[in-house]
Amino acid sequence: MISRNLRPLLLLLAAPIAFFATFFVAPIAVVALASFATDAGQFTWSHYLRILADQYHWEVILATFRIGIVTTLACIVIGYPLAWYMVRIIRLKTWRRICVILLIVPLFTSNIVRSFGWMVLLGRNGLVNDMLVSTGIVERPMRFLGTETGIIIGLTYILLPFIVLAVGNVLAQLDTSLEHASCDLGASAPSTFWHITLPLSLPGLIAGAIMVFALAVSAYVTPALLSGGKVTVLSILIFQQYSSVFDFHYGGALSMVLLILTLILVAMAGRIRGKHLDGVA
Amino acid sequence: MARLIIRLIAWAGLLYMVLPLVVIVGTSLTAGSVLTFPPEGLSWRWYGIMLDDRSYLSAYATSTVLALAATVVAVILAVPATLAIARYDFPGKATITATLMSPLVLPNIVIGAALLQYGSAFGLTRNFAALLVGHTIIIMPFILRSVLAMMTPGQRALEEASMDLGANAFTTFRLVILPLIRPGLVTGAIFAFISSWINVELSIFHTTAQLDTIPVKLFNYIQYTIDPTIAAVAALTIIVAAVAIVLLDLTIGLDVLSSPEDSQ
Amino acid sequence: MPSSLLSIEAVSKKFGAFQALHQIDLEVQQGEFIALLGPSGCGKTTLLRTLAGFLHPDAGRILIEGRDIGKLPPHQRPLNTVFQNYALFPHMTVMENVCYGPRRQGMSKSEALKQAQAALAMMGLEGFADRLPRQLSGGQQQRVALARAVVNRPKLLLLDEPLSALDLKLRKRMQLELKQLQNQLGIAFVFVTHDQEEALTMADRIVVMNAGRIEQVGPGDHIYDRPATHFVADFIGEANLLGCHVDESGQLHFAIGGRHPLKDQATVQGDYTAIIRPEHLRLEPASTGRDAPGLRLDVTILDVVNMGSHQMLYVKAGGQALAIRRMGPQQDWLSPGLPAVATLATDDLHLVRGLP
């Protein structure tokens, strides 16, 4: 594994590292720098302080988090059973393949297309309202577009496959002899699930949930389309700074906040996944 | 009883996954001029309108050319990096690997904004090069990940055998490594291509009226009007995606969720 | 007659077109150590899993102390299993693993702890209570698996090749320890193995299985001396299978030549296979004269393997290879290529119907 000969190594890494340094690390560094600078080029905390001080922006951040958490919970509530169904309940291999395809095809379509679908479904005369009214659940069509609920429905749709695949992978790799042993020792099926299956699948679930949350709080297209301009999340705020307000300093501060948050979440998920593999391998 | 509830939730979940796509395809076939589902009558009318519109056709072309170019560049950069990571130890390896993989999970909107601000200093904005650079960055991790998975210890034994028999590094790469990592390379390239094609958050910073990708074009259009043409454009991408996935499953096999016992 | 502890009655099991178990009948008594012995695919593990309740038989009954347990799910059967890969719960400590069974059956935490401590002490694992399975060696994990099973005081303990993952020395030691444990506990053990030496070492009775059927049941020495079928003769120990024919006068004629007087004159006429163990054949230098009646075969020595206290001699007679075990020191005339004479060192020939 270890080769002391440096030349081939440098040859291999030179281009990719240079490319990344120039077009990824440097730009982000520029943004970071801008977030600490005034127009005159002096160091300042003011942009970050503005985030903390401004009531409106607090609400935006809170809304972003709220949407993120509810989306993640919705994904778990739907995703864990769906993963269980696909791994444990389906017997026909063909049907499972079809289900996997149904899960992955949406991933291969653009966010915009998927969000557009929900714009049609959640409109005043859309299918969802039609069903709700005709079955008598509500008297008049509900408003989904332009509410956080609508955004949550759309985001859950986009992020659900990630949870299903994460949980599904864990369940598929689970050593079933452990569940057999549990039964053998006198635990009923629900008891086996509670004491054995759930704890062992939890790390995979949590790692997946953290990733989903990270993706939910940094989402732009879905909230932009389904909010109808009435709901603002952090990424919309960031985009505004760069496309209409042209305040690269404040935009930079907001960007860094989102970036650092995402990095922390990703690191957490990585730790959990690493510990899980250690314990069970 | 629990199984029944699980089945119900699962079926609801599957329906949830399918519904929007079915709706889009359905409304795109409407004979009327409003987006309703179920559609009023069936007609290819809106597809015709889309295909007549030069700006849509050029956007399709741009999206495809961009995705192809970005994939090619990403492969050229990612493969050497994978070789280095898989076969060598060096200081900072963990950091470099993490950095190269990070665009997968970092907010695209931030990456796009950063590139815009950075690029404006030397004219790397709102042109094909800017788009290309940005897309390459965010799709490289797909290729890195897929190829890295193929560089197993068993693979290394083959490389050592090749060198033992007298082949130098480059020949070993050409004759031993490349053919064997091909499956991972192809899979990674496909995912990379798709990711580039459907990207919005990065592309919105650099597209212009002349240089437009389909996703961004849709994004801009939708915010002002909604007509069945949009549905047709969107539906076409769905159909292509579905066909691609089915083909992938039939060739490579997407059986990602079976357990060891299933192979009995 | 008091009912057996375990009665397996005409149990059959099919997987698709493959008949894994065919009309299995077996009785196990209290305190017995039974080995299910056979090659891979013979059905021994299938039978074990059927007893545990993870498989349902297509036909037949399983009775514990006269009670049909066929409808009971695994967690309600008064049996416990020690799994081949131990199946210790990786996210629980040793103590939590051992307490698991008692807790699931409703015992209080303190009571379960006491029982678990006793079980761990019996296995020599005091002090390991707070360790995690991945911190234990293979042998230690095995003992935890045993403790976890026996703490529930099952009526019967099922063991699925529990020693196969251990290295040879540890295996031998565990074999004796398991036997002692079984004596100490007084619980009946049903032990699956493909290693005949293991079965012969540990079991009171061996159940030899092949292709879904029971070929023979009996104590080890009985099966060794009196194998009931060709398969058992071949599977247990080494054996020379010689085709022969019993004529009207009660003489035994061997297919490779020679004849031998039959001890049991009542043997029915017909074709048989003589099952002759290597230690029942004697080899002499070719020069010795012919004096005793009985089988004398002219052979050529193929190979001589010196095992220290004895030699294994492989000779050829009339186209068939024979194995002979000879005690005593190596001698000059025992060389590959040289001729010799093989005689039977026993009058007690064991015959099985049919040619080999």
Side-chain angles (χ1 to χ4, degrees), chain A residues 1 16 22 85 93 97 110-111 113 118 153 157 172 176 211, chain B residues 11 16-17 24 77 87 105 118 198 201 249 255 259 261:
Chain A
M1 174 74 173
T22 320
Y85 174 74
K93 223 169 169 201
R97 278 167 76 180
S110 184
N111 285 357
V113 164
W118 284 106
I153 295 178
Y157 177 74
T176 47
M211 292 303 300
Chain B
W11 278 81
Y16 184 48
M17 293 313 301
I24 293 179
L77 291 174
R87 295 286 177 253
V105 293
Y118 177 78
I198 65 178
E201 289 95 342
D249 180 59
D255 205 12
S259 24
E261 295 131 19

PDB file of all heavy atoms in Angstrom, chain A residues 1 16 22 85 93 97 110-111 113 118 153 157 172 176 211, chain B residues 11 16-17 24 77 87 105 118 198 201 249 255 259 261:
ATOM      1  N   MET A   1       0.827  -1.200   0.000  1.00  0.00           N
ATOM      2  CA  MET A   1       0.000   0.000   0.000  1.00  0.00           C
ATOM      3  C   MET A   1       0.858   1.246   0.000  1.00  0.00           C
ATOM      4  O   MET A   1       0.525   2.243  -0.591  1.00  0.00           O
ATOM      5  CB  MET A   1      -0.891  -0.036   1.264  1.00  0.00           C
ATOM      6  CG  MET A   1      -1.693   1.197   1.490  1.00  0.00           C
ATOM      7  SD  MET A   1      -3.073   1.306   0.363  1.00  0.00           S
ATOM      8  CE  MET A   1      -3.918   2.716   0.999  1.00  0.00           C
ATOM      9  N   PRO A  16      -6.214  16.948 -10.568  1.00  0.00           N
ATOM     10  CA  PRO A  16      -7.440  17.050  -9.771  1.00  0.00           C
ATOM     11  C   PRO A  16      -7.327  18.038  -8.615  1.00  0.00           C
ATOM     12  O   PRO A  16      -8.237  18.829  -8.395  1.00  0.00           O
ATOM     13  CB  PRO A  16      -7.668  15.629  -9.229  1.00  0.00           C
ATOM     14  CG  PRO A  16      -6.675  14.777  -9.865  1.00  0.00           C
ATOM     15  CD  PRO A  16      -5.722  15.575 -10.648  1.00  0.00           C
ATOM     16  N   THR A  22      -8.441  25.504  -7.390  1.00  0.00           N
ATOM     17  CA  THR A  22      -8.759  26.718  -8.125  1.00  0.00           C
ATOM     18  C   THR A  22     -10.251  27.004  -8.176  1.00  0.00           C
ATOM     19  O   THR A  22     -10.673  28.146  -8.025  1.00  0.00           O
ATOM     20  CB  THR A  22      -8.267  26.604  -9.583  1.00  0.00           C
ATOM     21  OG1 THR A  22      -7.005  25.975  -9.589  1.00  0.00           O
ATOM     22  CG2 THR A  22      -8.204  27.959 -10.228  1.00  0.00           C
ATOM     23  N   TYR A  85     -40.786  -2.918   4.108  1.00  0.00           N
ATOM     24  CA  TYR A  85     -41.619  -3.629   3.135  1.00  0.00           C
ATOM     25  C   TYR A  85     -40.754  -4.178   2.006  1.00  0.00           C
ATOM     26  O   TYR A  85     -40.850  -5.338   1.629  1.00  0.00           O
ATOM     27  CB  TYR A  85     -42.674  -2.672   2.577  1.00  0.00           C
ATOM     28  CG  TYR A  85     -43.516  -3.245   1.463  1.00  0.00           C
ATOM     29  CD1 TYR A  85     -44.506  -4.181   1.723  1.00  0.00           C
ATOM     30  CD2 TYR A  85     -43.327  -2.856   0.142  1.00  0.00           C
ATOM     31  CE1 TYR A  85     -45.274  -4.713   0.705  1.00  0.00           C
ATOM     32  CE2 TYR A  85     -44.096  -3.373  -0.880  1.00  0.00           C
ATOM     33  CZ  TYR A  85     -45.069  -4.298  -0.592  1.00  0.00           C
ATOM     34  OH  TYR A  85     -45.826  -4.823  -1.607  1.00  0.00           O
ATOM     35  N   LYS A  93     -38.756 -11.225  -6.464  1.00  0.00           N
ATOM     36  CA  LYS A  93     -37.616 -10.389  -6.782  1.00  0.00           C
ATOM     37  C   LYS A  93     -37.985  -9.311  -7.810  1.00  0.00           C
ATOM     38  O   LYS A  93     -37.501  -8.180  -7.745  1.00  0.00           O
ATOM     39  CB  LYS A  93     -36.478 -11.257  -7.321  1.00  0.00           C
ATOM     40  CG  LYS A  93     -35.137 -10.867  -6.744  1.00  0.00           C
ATOM     41  CD  LYS A  93     -34.069 -11.900  -7.064  1.00  0.00           C
ATOM     42  CE  LYS A  93     -32.719 -11.291  -6.697  1.00  0.00           C
ATOM     43  NZ  LYS A  93     -31.587 -11.877  -7.317  1.00  0.00           N
ATOM     44  N   ARG A  97     -37.554  -5.237  -7.594  1.00  0.00           N
ATOM     45  CA  ARG A  97     -36.820  -4.437  -8.576  1.00  0.00           C
ATOM     46  C   ARG A  97     -37.676  -3.292  -9.083  1.00  0.00           C
ATOM     47  O   ARG A  97     -37.198  -2.172  -9.257  1.00  0.00           O
ATOM     48  CB  ARG A  97     -36.375  -5.314  -9.739  1.00  0.00           C
ATOM     49  CG  ARG A  97     -35.101  -6.081  -9.426  1.00  0.00           C
ATOM     50  CD  ARG A  97     -34.839  -7.162 -10.441  1.00  0.00           C
ATOM     51  NE  ARG A  97     -34.338  -6.615 -11.689  1.00  0.00           N
ATOM     52  CZ  ARG A  97     -34.043  -7.368 -12.724  1.00  0.00           C
ATOM     53  NH1 ARG A  97     -34.213  -8.670 -12.666  1.00  0.00           N
ATOM     54  NH2 ARG A  97     -33.583  -6.831 -13.834  1.00  0.00           N
ATOM     55  N   SER A 110     -35.095  16.183 -12.618  1.00  0.00           N
ATOM     56  CA  SER A 110     -34.641  17.398 -11.974  1.00  0.00           C
ATOM     57  C   SER A 110     -35.577  17.812 -10.843  1.00  0.00           C
ATOM     58  O   SER A 110     -36.771  17.529 -10.880  1.00  0.00           O
ATOM     59  CB  SER A 110     -34.548  18.510 -13.025  1.00  0.00           C
ATOM     60  OG  SER A 110     -34.024  19.673 -12.443  1.00  0.00           O
ATOM     61  N   ASN A 111     -34.997  18.482  -9.840  1.00  0.00           N
ATOM     62  CA  ASN A 111     -35.796  19.049  -8.737  1.00  0.00           C
ATOM     63  C   ASN A 111     -36.959  19.839  -9.267  1.00  0.00           C
ATOM     64  O   ASN A 111     -38.048  19.843  -8.701  1.00  0.00           O
ATOM     65  CB  ASN A 111     -34.945  20.030  -7.928  1.00  0.00           C
ATOM     66  CG  ASN A 111     -33.984  19.304  -7.057  1.00  0.00           C
ATOM     67  OD1 ASN A 111     -34.004  18.095  -7.028  1.00  0.00           O
ATOM     68  ND2 ASN A 111     -33.165  20.036  -6.359  1.00  0.00           N
ATOM     69  N   VAL A 113     -38.567  19.583 -12.065  1.00  0.00           N
ATOM     70  CA  VAL A 113     -39.649  18.773 -12.601  1.00  0.00           C
ATOM     71  C   VAL A 113     -40.491  18.209 -11.461  1.00  0.00           C
ATOM     72  O   VAL A 113     -41.722  18.244 -11.494  1.00  0.00           O
ATOM     73  CB  VAL A 113     -39.070  17.628 -13.472  1.00  0.00           C
ATOM     74  CG1 VAL A 113     -40.098  16.561 -13.724  1.00  0.00           C
ATOM     75  CG2 VAL A 113     -38.535  18.199 -14.776  1.00  0.00           C
ATOM     76  N   TRP A 118     -45.692  18.781  -7.998  1.00  0.00           N
ATOM     77  CA  TRP A 118     -46.458  19.108  -6.796  1.00  0.00           C
ATOM     78  C   TRP A 118     -47.182  20.435  -6.932  1.00  0.00           C
ATOM     79  O   TRP A 118     -48.239  20.631  -6.322  1.00  0.00           O
ATOM     80  CB  TRP A 118     -45.542  19.099  -5.564  1.00  0.00           C
ATOM     81  CG  TRP A 118     -45.250  17.710  -5.163  1.00  0.00           C
ATOM     82  CD1 TRP A 118     -44.091  17.030  -5.324  1.00  0.00           C
ATOM     83  CD2 TRP A 118     -46.184  16.774  -4.600  1.00  0.00           C
ATOM     84  NE1 TRP A 118     -44.218  15.741  -4.887  1.00  0.00           N
ATOM     85  CE2 TRP A 118     -45.495  15.567  -4.439  1.00  0.00           C
ATOM     86  CE3 TRP A 118     -47.527  16.856  -4.217  1.00  0.00           C
ATOM     87  CZ2 TRP A 118     -46.101  14.438  -3.907  1.00  0.00           C
ATOM     88  CZ3 TRP A 118     -48.129  15.722  -3.676  1.00  0.00           C
ATOM     89  CH2 TRP A 118     -47.413  14.535  -3.536  1.00  0.00           C
ATOM     90  N   ILE A 153     -44.256  18.896   1.832  1.00  0.00           N
ATOM     91  CA  ILE A 153     -44.702  17.781   0.992  1.00  0.00           C
ATOM     92  C   ILE A 153     -43.749  17.582  -0.176  1.00  0.00           C
ATOM     93  O   ILE A 153     -43.363  16.465  -0.509  1.00  0.00           O
ATOM     94  CB  ILE A 153     -46.136  18.031   0.471  1.00  0.00           C
ATOM     95  CG1 ILE A 153     -47.118  18.043   1.645  1.00  0.00           C
ATOM     96  CG2 ILE A 153     -46.532  16.976  -0.540  1.00  0.00           C
ATOM     97  CD1 ILE A 153     -48.548  18.338   1.246  1.00  0.00           C
ATOM     98  N   TYR A 157     -40.953  14.468  -0.685  1.00  0.00           N
ATOM     99  CA  TYR A 157     -40.977  13.667  -1.916  1.00  0.00           C
ATOM    100  C   TYR A 157     -39.576  13.495  -2.483  1.00  0.00           C
ATOM    101  O   TYR A 157     -39.171  12.422  -2.902  1.00  0.00           O
ATOM    102  CB  TYR A 157     -41.881  14.349  -2.940  1.00  0.00           C
ATOM    103  CG  TYR A 157     -41.919  13.647  -4.255  1.00  0.00           C
ATOM    104  CD1 TYR A 157     -42.622  12.456  -4.396  1.00  0.00           C
ATOM    105  CD2 TYR A 157     -41.257  14.153  -5.370  1.00  0.00           C
ATOM    106  CE1 TYR A 157     -42.665  11.794  -5.601  1.00  0.00           C
ATOM    107  CE2 TYR A 157     -41.297  13.493  -6.571  1.00  0.00           C
ATOM    108  CZ  TYR A 157     -42.009  12.313  -6.683  1.00  0.00           C
ATOM    109  OH  TYR A 157     -42.044  11.658  -7.881  1.00  0.00           O
ATOM    110  N   ALA A 172     -31.023  -4.941   5.024  1.00  0.00           N
ATOM    111  CA  ALA A 172     -30.590  -6.042   4.181  1.00  0.00           C
ATOM    112  C   ALA A 172     -29.307  -6.670   4.714  1.00  0.00           C
ATOM    113  O   ALA A 172     -29.103  -7.869   4.592  1.00  0.00           O
ATOM    114  CB  ALA A 172     -30.403  -5.568   2.748  1.00  0.00           C
ATOM    115  N   THR A 176     -29.594 -11.997  10.169  1.00  0.00           N
ATOM    116  CA  THR A 176     -30.883 -12.508  10.649  1.00  0.00           C
ATOM    117  C   THR A 176     -30.724 -13.563  11.732  1.00  0.00           C
ATOM    118  O   THR A 176     -31.669 -13.818  12.470  1.00  0.00           O
ATOM    119  CB  THR A 176     -31.708 -13.119   9.501  1.00  0.00           C
ATOM    120  OG1 THR A 176     -30.865 -13.965   8.739  1.00  0.00           O
ATOM    121  CG2 THR A 176     -32.310 -12.057   8.625  1.00  0.00           C
ATOM    122  N   MET A 211     -28.364  13.319   6.937  1.00  0.00           N
ATOM    123  CA  MET A 211     -28.129  13.734   5.563  1.00  0.00           C
ATOM    124  C   MET A 211     -29.378  14.380   4.980  1.00  0.00           C
ATOM    125  O   MET A 211     -29.296  15.406   4.303  1.00  0.00           O
ATOM    126  CB  MET A 211     -27.746  12.523   4.701  1.00  0.00           C
ATOM    127  CG  MET A 211     -26.407  11.932   5.034  1.00  0.00           C
ATOM    128  SD  MET A 211     -25.092  13.127   4.915  1.00  0.00           S
ATOM    129  CE  MET A 211     -25.228  13.594   3.222  1.00  0.00           C
TER     130      MET A 211
ATOM    131  N   TRP B  11     -47.410   0.983   0.481  1.00  0.00           N
ATOM    132  CA  TRP B  11     -48.134   1.248  -0.761  1.00  0.00           C
ATOM    133  C   TRP B  11     -48.417   2.738  -0.914  1.00  0.00           C
ATOM    134  O   TRP B  11     -48.329   3.295  -2.007  1.00  0.00           O
ATOM    135  CB  TRP B  11     -49.432   0.431  -0.781  1.00  0.00           C
ATOM    136  CG  TRP B  11     -49.164  -0.971  -1.215  1.00  0.00           C
ATOM    137  CD1 TRP B  11     -48.695  -1.997  -0.452  1.00  0.00           C
ATOM    138  CD2 TRP B  11     -49.313  -1.489  -2.536  1.00  0.00           C
ATOM    139  NE1 TRP B  11     -48.552  -3.127  -1.207  1.00  0.00           N
ATOM    140  CE2 TRP B  11     -48.922  -2.857  -2.490  1.00  0.00           C
ATOM    141  CE3 TRP B  11     -49.739  -0.947  -3.746  1.00  0.00           C
ATOM    142  CZ2 TRP B  11     -48.950  -3.681  -3.618  1.00  0.00           C
ATOM    143  CZ3 TRP B  11     -49.765  -1.766  -4.859  1.00  0.00           C
ATOM    144  CH2 TRP B  11     -49.374  -3.124  -4.784  1.00  0.00           C
ATOM    145  N   TYR B  16     -47.097   7.729  -3.573  1.00  0.00           N
ATOM    146  CA  TYR B  16     -46.530   9.063  -3.399  1.00  0.00           C
ATOM    147  C   TYR B  16     -45.376   9.280  -4.383  1.00  0.00           C
ATOM    148  O   TYR B  16     -45.266  10.340  -5.004  1.00  0.00           O
ATOM    149  CB  TYR B  16     -46.054   9.156  -1.949  1.00  0.00           C
ATOM    150  CG  TYR B  16     -45.510  10.478  -1.471  1.00  0.00           C
ATOM    151  CD1 TYR B  16     -46.163  11.680  -1.693  1.00  0.00           C
ATOM    152  CD2 TYR B  16     -44.336  10.497  -0.721  1.00  0.00           C
ATOM    153  CE1 TYR B  16     -45.650  12.867  -1.202  1.00  0.00           C
ATOM    154  CE2 TYR B  16     -43.823  11.683  -0.229  1.00  0.00           C
ATOM    155  CZ  TYR B  16     -44.483  12.870  -0.466  1.00  0.00           C
ATOM    156  OH  TYR B  16     -43.965  14.027   0.032  1.00  0.00           O
ATOM    157  N   MET B  17     -44.523   8.260  -4.548  1.00  0.00           N
ATOM    158  CA  MET B  17     -43.373   8.405  -5.441  1.00  0.00           C
ATOM    159  C   MET B  17     -43.805   8.525  -6.891  1.00  0.00           C
ATOM    160  O   MET B  17     -43.194   9.248  -7.675  1.00  0.00           O
ATOM    161  CB  MET B  17     -42.427   7.202  -5.323  1.00  0.00           C
ATOM    162  CG  MET B  17     -41.699   7.025  -4.006  1.00  0.00           C
ATOM    163  SD  MET B  17     -40.944   8.502  -3.356  1.00  0.00           S
ATOM    164  CE  MET B  17     -39.826   8.986  -4.605  1.00  0.00           C
ATOM    165  N   ILE B  24     -47.595  14.701 -14.324  1.00  0.00           N
ATOM    166  CA  ILE B  24     -46.947  15.548 -15.331  1.00  0.00           C
ATOM    167  C   ILE B  24     -47.116  14.960 -16.715  1.00  0.00           C
ATOM    168  O   ILE B  24     -47.465  15.658 -17.675  1.00  0.00           O
ATOM    169  CB  ILE B  24     -45.449  15.723 -15.005  1.00  0.00           C
ATOM    170  CG1 ILE B  24     -45.293  16.530 -13.718  1.00  0.00           C
ATOM    171  CG2 ILE B  24     -44.737  16.395 -16.154  1.00  0.00           C
ATOM    172  CD1 ILE B  24     -43.864  16.720 -13.306  1.00  0.00           C
ATOM    173  N   LEU B  77     -10.208  13.844 -14.589  1.00  0.00           N
ATOM    174  CA  LEU B  77      -9.640  14.284 -13.316  1.00  0.00           C
ATOM    175  C   LEU B  77      -9.805  13.244 -12.226  1.00  0.00           C
ATOM    176  O   LEU B  77      -8.923  13.055 -11.385  1.00  0.00           O
ATOM    177  CB  LEU B  77     -10.311  15.595 -12.876  1.00  0.00           C
ATOM    178  CG  LEU B  77      -9.993  16.824 -13.720  1.00  0.00           C
ATOM    179  CD1 LEU B  77     -10.834  17.990 -13.257  1.00  0.00           C
ATOM    180  CD2 LEU B  77      -8.523  17.152 -13.632  1.00  0.00           C
ATOM    181  N   ARG B  87      -4.169   3.627  -3.856  1.00  0.00           N
ATOM    182  CA  ARG B  87      -2.928   2.856  -3.832  1.00  0.00           C
ATOM    183  C   ARG B  87      -1.772   3.524  -3.113  1.00  0.00           C
ATOM    184  O   ARG B  87      -0.700   2.946  -3.008  1.00  0.00           O
ATOM    185  CB  ARG B  87      -2.483   2.540  -5.275  1.00  0.00           C
ATOM    186  CG  ARG B  87      -3.435   1.652  -6.018  1.00  0.00           C
ATOM    187  CD  ARG B  87      -3.352   0.220  -5.532  1.00  0.00           C
ATOM    188  NE  ARG B  87      -4.327  -0.622  -6.199  1.00  0.00           N
ATOM    189  CZ  ARG B  87      -5.426  -1.105  -5.631  1.00  0.00           C
ATOM    190  NH1 ARG B  87      -5.703  -0.813  -4.387  1.00  0.00           N
ATOM    191  NH2 ARG B  87      -6.254  -1.876  -6.318  1.00  0.00           N
ATOM    192  N   VAL B 105     -22.351  16.719  -0.842  1.00  0.00           N
ATOM    193  CA  VAL B 105     -23.228  17.028   0.281  1.00  0.00           C
ATOM    194  C   VAL B 105     -23.314  18.496   0.620  1.00  0.00           C
ATOM    195  O   VAL B 105     -24.142  18.900   1.426  1.00  0.00           O
ATOM    196  CB  VAL B 105     -22.788  16.246   1.542  1.00  0.00           C
ATOM    197  CG1 VAL B 105     -23.012  14.775   1.359  1.00  0.00           C
ATOM    198  CG2 VAL B 105     -21.326  16.523   1.842  1.00  0.00           C
ATOM    199  N   TYR B 118     -16.294  34.522  -7.392  1.00  0.00           N
ATOM    200  CA  TYR B 118     -14.890  34.260  -7.709  1.00  0.00           C
ATOM    201  C   TYR B 118     -14.620  34.503  -9.189  1.00  0.00           C
ATOM    202  O   TYR B 118     -13.642  35.163  -9.571  1.00  0.00           O
ATOM    203  CB  TYR B 118     -14.603  32.810  -7.334  1.00  0.00           C
ATOM    204  CG  TYR B 118     -13.237  32.293  -7.628  1.00  0.00           C
ATOM    205  CD1 TYR B 118     -12.172  32.610  -6.794  1.00  0.00           C
ATOM    206  CD2 TYR B 118     -13.014  31.440  -8.702  1.00  0.00           C
ATOM    207  CE1 TYR B 118     -10.914  32.085  -7.032  1.00  0.00           C
ATOM    208  CE2 TYR B 118     -11.759  30.917  -8.944  1.00  0.00           C
ATOM    209  CZ  TYR B 118     -10.724  31.242  -8.100  1.00  0.00           C
ATOM    210  OH  TYR B 118      -9.492  30.725  -8.330  1.00  0.00           O
ATOM    211  N   ILE B 198     -29.630  17.356 -14.753  1.00  0.00           N
ATOM    212  CA  ILE B 198     -30.799  17.842 -14.019  1.00  0.00           C
ATOM    213  C   ILE B 198     -30.474  18.999 -13.082  1.00  0.00           C
ATOM    214  O   ILE B 198     -31.346  19.503 -12.388  1.00  0.00           O
ATOM    215  CB  ILE B 198     -31.460  16.713 -13.203  1.00  0.00           C
ATOM    216  CG1 ILE B 198     -30.533  16.219 -12.100  1.00  0.00           C
ATOM    217  CG2 ILE B 198     -31.854  15.572 -14.099  1.00  0.00           C
ATOM    218  CD1 ILE B 198     -31.181  15.137 -11.236  1.00  0.00           C
ATOM    219  N   GLU B 201     -29.540  24.368  -9.149  1.00  0.00           N
ATOM    220  CA  GLU B 201     -29.021  25.362  -8.203  1.00  0.00           C
ATOM    221  C   GLU B 201     -27.682  25.958  -8.594  1.00  0.00           C
ATOM    222  O   GLU B 201     -27.372  27.078  -8.203  1.00  0.00           O
ATOM    223  CB  GLU B 201     -28.887  24.751  -6.801  1.00  0.00           C
ATOM    224  CG  GLU B 201     -30.196  24.479  -6.106  1.00  0.00           C
ATOM    225  CD  GLU B 201     -30.645  23.053  -6.303  1.00  0.00           C
ATOM    226  OE1 GLU B 201     -30.124  22.411  -7.241  1.00  0.00           O
ATOM    227  OE2 GLU B 201     -31.479  22.597  -5.529  1.00  0.00           O
ATOM    228  N   ASP B 249     -31.156  -1.105 -14.978  1.00  0.00           N
ATOM    229  CA  ASP B 249     -31.514  -2.263 -14.178  1.00  0.00           C
ATOM    230  C   ASP B 249     -31.357  -3.540 -14.979  1.00  0.00           C
ATOM    231  O   ASP B 249     -30.910  -4.560 -14.473  1.00  0.00           O
ATOM    232  CB  ASP B 249     -32.956  -2.144 -13.676  1.00  0.00           C
ATOM    233  CG  ASP B 249     -33.359  -3.338 -12.840  1.00  0.00           C
ATOM    234  OD1 ASP B 249     -32.710  -3.587 -11.820  1.00  0.00           O
ATOM    235  OD2 ASP B 249     -34.308  -4.039 -13.224  1.00  0.00           O
ATOM    236  N   ASP B 255     -30.266  -4.165  -8.049  1.00  0.00           N
ATOM    237  CA  ASP B 255     -30.803  -4.914  -6.916  1.00  0.00           C
ATOM    238  C   ASP B 255     -30.100  -4.501  -5.630  1.00  0.00           C
ATOM    239  O   ASP B 255     -29.338  -5.257  -5.050  1.00  0.00           O
ATOM    240  CB  ASP B 255     -30.603  -6.404  -7.174  1.00  0.00           C
ATOM    241  CG  ASP B 255     -31.613  -7.223  -6.418  1.00  0.00           C
ATOM    242  OD1 ASP B 255     -32.579  -6.646  -5.908  1.00  0.00           O
ATOM    243  OD2 ASP B 255     -31.428  -8.438  -6.335  1.00  0.00           O
ATOM    244  N   SER B 259     -30.928  -9.098   0.538  1.00  0.00           N
ATOM    245  CA  SER B 259     -30.021  -9.584   1.556  1.00  0.00           C
ATOM    246  C   SER B 259     -29.344 -10.841   1.046  1.00  0.00           C
ATOM    247  O   SER B 259     -29.762 -11.407   0.051  1.00  0.00           O
ATOM    248  CB  SER B 259     -30.790  -9.875   2.841  1.00  0.00           C
ATOM    249  OG  SER B 259     -32.139 -10.122   2.575  1.00  0.00           O
ATOM    250  N   GLU B 261     -29.522 -13.810   1.890  1.00  0.00           N
ATOM    251  CA  GLU B 261     -30.354 -15.005   1.776  1.00  0.00           C
ATOM    252  C   GLU B 261     -31.152 -15.050   0.495  1.00  0.00           C
ATOM    253  O   GLU B 261     -31.641 -16.083   0.097  1.00  0.00           O
ATOM    254  CB  GLU B 261     -31.350 -15.059   2.927  1.00  0.00           C
ATOM    255  CG  GLU B 261     -30.673 -15.217   4.249  1.00  0.00           C
ATOM    256  CD  GLU B 261     -31.200 -14.202   5.261  1.00  0.00           C
ATOM    257  OE1 GLU B 261     -32.288 -13.662   5.043  1.00  0.00           O
ATOM    258  OE2 GLU B 261     -30.506 -13.967   6.235  1.00  0.00           O
TER     259      GLU B 261
END
